[in-house]
């Protein structure tokens, strides 16, 4: 009877205790009884229980944490039916600044090519990239949040109903203590207030505002505030109004330069030699050109061509006009320097001193400087009977470029040894010796707008235009043009310069200094443009090439100051000499 009253114990699921048998019921009964007695006798450890509960909660937080978040930052638990990304841990300003230049990602798989600074379409692309970068920065990091500010409601009331974005970089209205007296009376509250478009309000605020409209209702202008129609809230454009003004703002139209020459002259036997200087435009508005053994003069006013001289047993290698007057100096292949009176068409004197061809000539008042293939530079005073005053030894190869800075009394010389030297007055020791070019330096030009500013250009292996401060001996700026630089000339009327080039495009480029942006790129010559000269009024340049043509280009405008060039005294006197 005692055994029949003992219930049968069944093992709970997921346990490894085998079910008890009926034959050993008294043993199982005794085991259960002893276990119950032990459980009732032992006390619960409070510290172990709290530790277990803490471990359980920590395990729950680890499951809720986003995998990509920083392990040191604990994200606030979000209760909702959707996930809203939070970018508080990202520094967008720093990320934007670390982007590639002009906000265009670079392609790491491709080798970096030389930047074609000399291309107009490249400059337009660069300008478009800069505009896009400015627009993107404005859209991402604008310091204002578009909020409607009705004139009849104070900003404090709007700030109490709208949700504020926790962004320290955005400006917010400082909090003020709003008293009950500042609230509008109930009689002035409109029955149909306006909708706060794109301004989120918590549900508890919706319940507090009486008469809040449903989304399907339209605010009545008679009761609602006077909204700004040009607010960003109501714009149909994906960008702000400020960005729209940036995109729609008128661009400054570049100065129009004719792409075709207004005059082309044939120049038979014009040598295709990089080291010669065979074209020069004098102050008397006469163009001198060396063709073979002859020198011709072209009058730009009348268009008449005159043959000045013919060297029977020699070849003309350089020509240069004196700054004021009608004297023309001619360098020959035999190393002679002749001075001619162009008005009377007679030779004044012949000077010796060089043992090889004279490829460069430069005037400084009564001082005539000549550079030769014999690597020497000779200063000559045309008023004295001596053949030369000074002999400058510095270049290791042919001297192919000479330019005087008549205001500062400095002479710049360039040679086939890739050297550019600056000489002070008649000193026999160079003031500066620059070795930065990697090809022959023929293109040399002094700026008429800034003291001690010298521009130089390198040959085929260099292709660069460099700007030097000859007061400090430093290189201010340089530009890779992409082709051989044959000549340089500064505009007399504006802070611009023109360069002529050889391989491979044979172009004439007008540059804006100091930005060095292209104003125009002129093509037409089929050979490298080896010769360049500028008219006395500074508006026209003439170029010569091995294709045996002289092309005249209208590159620059008139001088702004009256009385000097343009429509000033010089232009008026020129008009008096024209027979109508």
């Amino acid at each position: 009877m005692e055994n029949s009253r003992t219930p049968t114990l069944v093992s709970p699921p997921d346990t490894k205790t085998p079910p008890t048998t009926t034959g050993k019921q008294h043993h199982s009964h005794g085991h259960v009884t002893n276990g119950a007695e032990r459980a009732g006798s032992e006390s619960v450890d409070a510290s172990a229980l709290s530790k277990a509960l803490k471990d359980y909660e920590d395990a729950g937080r680890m499951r809720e944490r986003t995998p990509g978040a920083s392990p040191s930052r604990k994200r606030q638990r979000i209760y909702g039916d959707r996930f809203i990304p939070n970018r508080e841990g990202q520094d967008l300003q720093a990320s934007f600044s670390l982007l590639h230049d002009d906000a265009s990602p670079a392609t790491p798989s491709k080798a970096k090519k030389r930047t074609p600074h000399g291309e107009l379409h490249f400059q337009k692309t660069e300008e478009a990239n800069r505009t896009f970068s400015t627009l993107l920065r404005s859209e991402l990091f604008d310091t204002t949040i578009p909020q409607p500010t009705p004139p009849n409601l104070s900003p404090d009331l709007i700030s109490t109903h709208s949700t504020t974005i926790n962004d320290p970089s955005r400006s917010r209205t400082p909090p003020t203590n709003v008293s009950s007296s500042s609230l509008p009376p109930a009689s002035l509250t409109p029955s149909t207030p306006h909708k706060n478009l794109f301004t989120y309000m918590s549900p508890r605020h919706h319940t507090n505002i009486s008469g809040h409209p449903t989304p399907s209702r339209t605010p009545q202008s008679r009761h609602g505030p006077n909204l700004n129609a040009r607010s960003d809230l109501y714009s149909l454009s994906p960008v702000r109004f400020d960005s729209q003004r940036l995109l729609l703002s008128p661009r400054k139209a570049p100065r129009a330069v004719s792409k075709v020459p207004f005059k082309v002259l044939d120049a038979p036997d014009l040598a295709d030699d990089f080291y010669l200087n065979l074209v020069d435009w004098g102050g008397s508005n006469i163009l001198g050109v060396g063709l073979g053994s002859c020198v011709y003069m072209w009058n730009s006013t009348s268009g008449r061509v005159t043959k000045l001289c013919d060297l029977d047993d020699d070849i003309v290698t350089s020509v240069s006009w004196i700054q004021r007057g009608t004297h023309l100096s001619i360098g020959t292949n035999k190393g002679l320097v002749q001075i001619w009176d162009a008005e009377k068409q007679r030779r004044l004197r012949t000077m010796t001193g060089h043992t090889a061809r004279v490829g460069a000539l430069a005037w400084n008042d009564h001082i005539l400087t000549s550079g030769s293939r014999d690597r020497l530079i000779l200063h000559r005073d045309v008023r004295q009977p001596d053949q030369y005053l000074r002999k400058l030894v510095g270049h290791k190869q042919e001297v192919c470029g000479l330019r005087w800075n008549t205001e500062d009394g400095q002479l710049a010389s360039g040679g086939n040894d890739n050297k550019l030297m600056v000489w002070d007055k008649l000193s026999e020791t160079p003031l500066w010796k620059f070795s930065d070019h990697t090809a022959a330096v023929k293109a040399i030009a002094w700026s008429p707008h800034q003291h001690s500013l010298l521009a130089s250009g390198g040959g085929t292996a260099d292709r660069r235009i460099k700007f030097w401060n000859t007061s400090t001996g430093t290189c201010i700026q340089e530009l890779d043009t992409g082709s051989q630089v044959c000549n340089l000339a500064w505009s007399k009327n504006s802070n611009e310069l023109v360069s002529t080039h050889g391989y491979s495009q044979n172009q004439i480029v007008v540059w804006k200094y100091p930005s060095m942006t292209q104003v125009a790129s002129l093509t037409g010559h089929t050979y490298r443009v080896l010769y360049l000269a500028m008219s006395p009024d500074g508006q026209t340049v003439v170029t010569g090439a091995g294709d045996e043509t002289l092309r005249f280009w209208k590159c620059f405008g008139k001088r702004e100051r009256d009385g000097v060039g343009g429509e000033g005294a010089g232009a008026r006197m020129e008009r008096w000499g024209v027979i109508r």
Side-chain angles (χ1 to χ4, degrees):
M1 294 297 292
E2 194 173 285
N3 293 336
S4 63
R5 288 193 300 269
T6 303
T8 302
L9 297 178
V10 181
S11 299
D14 299 334
T15 61
K16 297 182 180 181
T17 305
T20 57
T21 59
T22 55
K24 298 181 181 180
Q25 289 178 356
H26 60 281
H27 298 288
S28 300
H29 179 73
H31 174 74
V32 172
T33 303
N34 296 334
E37 292 174 356
R38 286 195 303 269
S41 61
E42 293 179 353
S43 61
V44 179
D45 191 356
S47 60
L49 181 60
S50 62
K51 183 177 182 301
L53 291 175
K54 184 177 179 181
D55 294 341
Y56 177 77
E57 290 179 358
D58 292 343
R61 291 194 188 96
M62 290 297 294
R63 287 193 299 270
E64 292 174 356
R65 185 170 300 173
T66 305
S70 174
S72 62
R73 182 186 297 273
K74 292 186 178 181
R75 226 181 249 283
Q76 184 179 1
R77 301 181 67 178
I78 301 174
Y79 297 96
D81 56 349
R82 60 178 178 170
F83 173 73
I84 301 177
N86 187 1
R87 296 188 175 91
E88 289 183 355
Q90 300 181 12
D91 190 353
L92 295 181
Q93 288 276 8
S95 301
F96 190 88
S97 302
L98 291 176
L99 285 177
H100 187 261
D101 292 340
D102 298 325
S104 58
T107 306
S109 59
K110 295 182 179 180
K112 185 177 181 181
K113 297 181 180 179
R114 182 184 57 81
T115 305
H117 289 282
E119 301 295 338
L120 283 176
H121 64 83
F122 171 78
Q123 294 185 6
K124 293 179 180 179
T125 304
E126 289 293 293
E127 182 180 0
N129 288 340
R130 285 192 295 268
T131 303
F132 173 76
S133 179
T134 304
L135 177 67
L136 182 61
R137 185 182 296 274
S138 174
E139 289 295 313
L140 288 179
F141 309 117
D142 193 65
T143 57
T144 60
I145 306 174
Q147 299 285 351
T149 306
N152 61 343
L153 291 179
S154 64
D156 300 330
L157 293 178
I158 296 177
S159 63
T160 57
H161 295 300
S162 58
T163 303
T164 304
I165 299 178
N166 186 16
D167 189 353
S169 64
R170 298 183 184 270
S171 59
R172 291 186 290 272
T173 305
T176 56
N177 296 326
V178 181
S179 60
S180 59
S181 61
S182 63
L183 295 175
S187 59
L188 298 180
T189 304
S191 59
T192 308
H194 73 289
K195 292 187 297 181
N196 285 332
L197 296 180
F198 306 112
T199 303
Y200 299 99
M201 306 173 68
S202 60
R204 56 188 180 87
H205 289 153
H206 281 276
T207 57
N208 294 336
I209 300 177
S210 61
H212 188 80
T214 59
S216 61
R217 298 181 62 182
T218 305
Q220 301 178 8
S221 60
R222 183 167 55 90
H223 299 287
N226 184 16
L227 297 178
N228 182 13
R230 294 188 60 83
S231 174
D232 291 335
L233 297 177
Y234 313 109
S235 174
L236 299 179
S237 174
V239 296
R240 297 185 178 92
F241 278 108
D242 292 340
S243 300
Q244 295 180 42
R245 283 194 294 267
L246 173 65
L247 295 175
L248 298 178
S249 60
R251 297 290 188 267
K252 184 178 180 181
R255 180 167 58 83
V257 178
S258 177
K259 300 292 184 180
V260 295
F262 66 87
K263 185 183 291 293
V264 179
L265 297 178
D266 290 332
D269 296 332
L270 185 61
D272 184 23
D273 194 329
F274 177 81
Y275 300 98
L276 305 185
N277 294 272
L278 297 176
V279 178
D280 194 26
W281 205 328
S284 57
N285 212 8
I286 304 295
L287 181 69
V289 184
L291 301 177
S293 60
C294 302
V295 175
Y296 291 88
M297 299 184 298
W298 177 77
N299 191 318
S300 62
T301 304
S302 63
R304 185 173 65 249
V305 178
T306 305
K307 183 178 179 180
L308 177 63
C309 65
D310 187 357
L311 308 180
D312 295 332
D313 56 347
D314 209 344
I315 298 176
V316 177
T317 54
S318 59
V319 295
S320 178
W321 288 95
I322 194 171
Q323 285 96 337
R324 291 175 297 274
T326 59
H327 289 181
L328 178 68
S329 60
I330 301 173
T332 70
N333 192 54
K334 290 185 177 181
L336 303 177
V337 176
Q338 299 182 3
I339 299 178
W340 286 72
D341 187 341
E343 186 177 7
K344 299 179 180 179
Q345 297 186 17
R346 67 185 183 93
R347 186 176 61 189
L348 300 178
R349 66 181 296 184
T350 300
M351 293 177 288
T352 61
H354 291 294
T355 58
R357 68 179 183 184
V358 179
L361 293 169
W363 286 88
N364 184 9
D365 200 8
H366 57 275
I367 299 296
L368 175 61
T369 305
S370 59
S372 171
R373 180 180 270 183
D374 61 7
R375 303 169 294 178
L376 298 179
I377 299 175
L378 299 181
H379 289 309
R380 311 170 187 270
D381 191 340
V382 296
R383 303 170 301 178
Q384 298 181 6
D386 298 335
Q387 296 298 319
Y388 58 87
L389 288 176
R390 299 283 190 277
K391 178 188 294 185
L392 309 183
V393 180
H395 289 280
K396 300 298 175 52
Q397 293 190 37
E398 180 176 5
V399 179
C400 52
L402 282 176
R403 285 292 184 275
W404 269 105
N405 183 356
T406 56
E407 293 185 1
D408 297 335
Q410 292 182 338
L411 173 71
S413 65
N416 195 34
D417 55 356
N418 309 342
K419 299 293 190 296
L420 173 67
M421 299 187 184
V422 178
W423 312 77
D424 189 26
K425 298 179 175 60
L426 300 180
S427 173
E428 297 181 355
T429 304
L431 177 65
W432 305 109
K433 184 182 296 185
F434 303 115
S435 305
D436 294 28
H437 285 289
T438 57
V441 182
K442 175 192 176 185
I444 301 173
W446 292 93
S447 172
H449 312 288
Q450 183 175 342
H451 286 287
S452 304
L453 177 58
L454 174 65
S456 62
T460 306
D462 186 76
R463 306 183 304 271
R464 293 182 176 272
I465 298 176
K466 295 178 181 289
F467 297 90
W468 310 88
N469 185 344
T470 58
S471 297
T472 60
T474 57
C475 181
I476 304 173
Q477 187 179 357
E478 67 177 57
L479 175 73
D480 189 350
T481 64
S483 57
Q484 177 187 38
V485 183
C486 301
N487 292 279
L488 284 172
W490 286 88
S491 170
K492 302 175 183 178
N493 306 333
S494 59
N495 201 15
E496 297 174 331
L497 71 159
V498 59
S499 62
T500 67
H501 300 270
Y503 307 115
S504 60
Q505 297 184 15
N506 307 322
Q507 77 272 31
I508 301 104
V509 183
V510 181
W511 306 90
K512 184 71 176 177
Y513 185 82
S515 63
M516 290 308 290
T517 56
Q518 281 192 18
V519 178
S521 180
L522 312 175
T523 56
H525 285 288
T526 56
Y527 281 65
R528 51 185 180 169
V529 188
L530 296 177
Y531 310 109
L532 171 69
M534 185 174 295
S535 62
D537 61 3
Q539 300 182 41
T540 304
V541 297
V542 58
T543 57
D547 54 11
E548 299 183 349
T549 61
L550 294 174
R551 298 173 185 263
F552 294 79
W553 314 83
K554 193 80 168 181
C555 292
F556 304 106
K558 298 179 181 179
R559 189 175 301 185
E560 296 179 357
R561 299 191 303 271
D562 188 23
V564 183
E567 288 297 325
R572 289 194 294 269
M573 292 176 61
E574 190 172 308
R575 285 200 300 268
W576 293 342
V578 178
I579 300 177
R580 292 179 172 82

